[in-house]
Amino acid sequence: LVTVAAPAGADVLVGVGANATNKVTGVIAEQYNISPSTVNGGDVVVNVPSQVVPPEAPGIFIPQDSKYTSDFTYNVGTASTAAHLPPNGAGAGKTALLNDATAGTGFIDFGRQSSQRANTDPASLEYYAWALDAVSWVKFPGNPITNLTQQDLINIWTCDAGSKLPIYSDWSQIPGSTFSGSIVKYQAQLSSGRQKTFEQLVLNGHPIDENCDASHLSTRLFESNASGVAPATKARAIFFYGYSSYQSQSKSFTPNLRNGATFGQLNGVTLTPGVINETAQRFPGTQYLYNIADTRSPSYDRVIAFLG
């Protein structure tokens, strides 16, 4: 178990949510926790990964503090043992933060967020953008396609409203393609902020599997984890990745789960750091990464000291 302790009168600040910024937020939290008390006020940040699985610690123990008066442990588990599993993804993390802020328990204090503000978010929820990133499509060895347009991707991942069949079901349907074979499409787990961003920015607001019947749904994998792409269909598979997650895995800062995936061009543009910016010419999948806080949370002022 990973254990932490805070001095009397200080807070344990618990962060949950997006996988995209889990590792780097954990590094920042480690530095914050060893800062002088004039910086952190004696507070201790516990950065909870979106999945408590290897190589993460097998359990995250969160002791009571001045505002939350019960101990709690996030444990290793599977979908069949859901009790005490951490919120898996940006959407689940945001929901957990909002639920806690509404209840006023002071347990979950901030969220890692990889998608932008939603119209349904309450005014009390604050977004603090602190990094730029991008999300785009990836292919696998054996696929010679080098470029897809946003409309190509919409046609791959959505279905006709009448027939309920994929608009593009075979790689030969891509304009100019010399490659054929049934397209095998993947998507991320429910509550994935990366997927929400991919849908908003790259698919122009179309949700993955829009209009599709039950026989033509994308297979779910964990976000930024292509290890589940089946070897037999790898050349015909398509998924999406966040650039930072891809780079992190390529440099072994985090486990390499790419399974041979490589970025293809989007609208003729190669995804590199140079095209991830805030100009009108930025890469179409360029996004902000956020930390979020709720002004109703009992530890709001302490959280802002960390997020600041």
Side-chain angles (χ1 to χ4, degrees):
L1 295 181
V2 171
T3 61
V4 297
D11 282 342
V12 176
L13 305 177
V14 178
V16 297
N19 179 68
T21 57
N22 170 52
K23 186 72 172 182
V24 68
T25 301
V27 173
I28 295 171
E30 289 172 1
Q31 297 303 307
Y32 189 76
N33 291 345
I34 62 173
S35 296
S37 59
T38 52
V39 174
N40 62 28
D43 294 341
V44 173
V45 177
V46 179
N47 182 61
V48 180
S50 55
Q51 300 174 59
V52 186
V53 295
E56 303 290 355
I60 307 295
F61 174 70
I62 303 168
Q64 60 183 287
D65 61 15
S66 60
K67 293 184 172 63
Y68 184 76
T69 56
S70 299
D71 293 342
F72 187 86
T73 301
Y74 282 118
N75 290 320
V76 172
T78 66
S80 62
T81 57
H84 287 203
L85 291 181
N88 189 355
K94 179 168 70 172
T95 297
L97 172 63
L98 290 175
N99 289 343
D100 188 84
T102 300
T105 62
F107 175 52
I108 294 176
D109 304 288
F110 70 94
R112 304 183 303 271
Q113 187 65 211
S114 56
S115 58
Q116 61 193 18
R117 172 178 286 278
N119 293 333
T120 54
D121 288 341
S124 60
L125 191 64
E126 298 179 338
Y127 280 66
Y128 293 89
W130 63 278
L132 281 172
D133 201 357
V135 61
S136 190
W137 70 282
V138 292
K139 62 177 183 174
F140 297 86
N143 187 335
I145 300 292
T146 59
N147 176 64
L148 292 174
T149 67
Q150 287 176 262
Q151 190 59 55
D152 290 334
L153 294 173
I154 293 169
N155 291 347
I156 287 172
W157 262 295
T158 66
C159 294
D160 179 79
S163 69
K164 307 300 181 183
L165 301 177
I167 299 171
Y168 285 174
S169 59
D170 194 284
W171 286 101
S172 62
Q173 293 175 272
I174 305 296
S177 172
T178 58
F179 181 55
S180 63
S182 299
I183 297 172
V184 181
K185 55 183 184 172
Y186 289 89
Q187 63 176 321
Q189 80 277 9
L190 293 172
S191 298
S192 166
R194 283 287 198 200
Q195 177 154 325
K196 179 69 69 176
T197 297
F198 184 73
E199 293 168 338
Q200 290 171 334
L201 300 181
V202 178
L203 302 185
N204 290 334
H206 294 275
I208 285 178
D209 291 339
E210 181 180 52
N211 299 321
C212 298
D213 61 25
S215 300
H216 296 89
L217 300 180
S218 303
T219 300
R220 289 196 182 274
L221 302 173
F222 285 119
E223 174 188 315
S224 302
N225 184 346
S227 61
V229 174
T233 58
K234 187 180 287 189
R236 296 183 282 113
I238 187 168
F239 193 29
F240 58 86
Y241 243 84
Y243 185 75
S244 64
S245 298
Y246 188 92
Q247 290 294 88
S248 175
Q249 293 180 24
S250 74
K251 301 177 188 302
S252 299
F253 182 60
T254 54
N256 186 358
L257 305 172
R258 296 173 298 160
N259 197 13
T262 55
F263 284 111
Q265 291 184 329
L266 177 59
N267 296 343
V269 179
T270 300
L271 181 51
T272 63
V275 299
I276 302 174
N277 54 60
E278 296 175 288
T279 71
Q281 292 74 42
R282 65 187 177 273
F283 187 80
T286 297
Q287 66 171 120
Y288 290 112
L289 298 177
Y290 305 88
N291 284 315
I292 56 175
D294 195 306
T295 58
R296 299 171 299 166
S297 297
S299 298
Y300 170 76
D301 57 333
R302 316 294 281 268
V303 166
I304 296 304
F306 171 62
L307 300 188

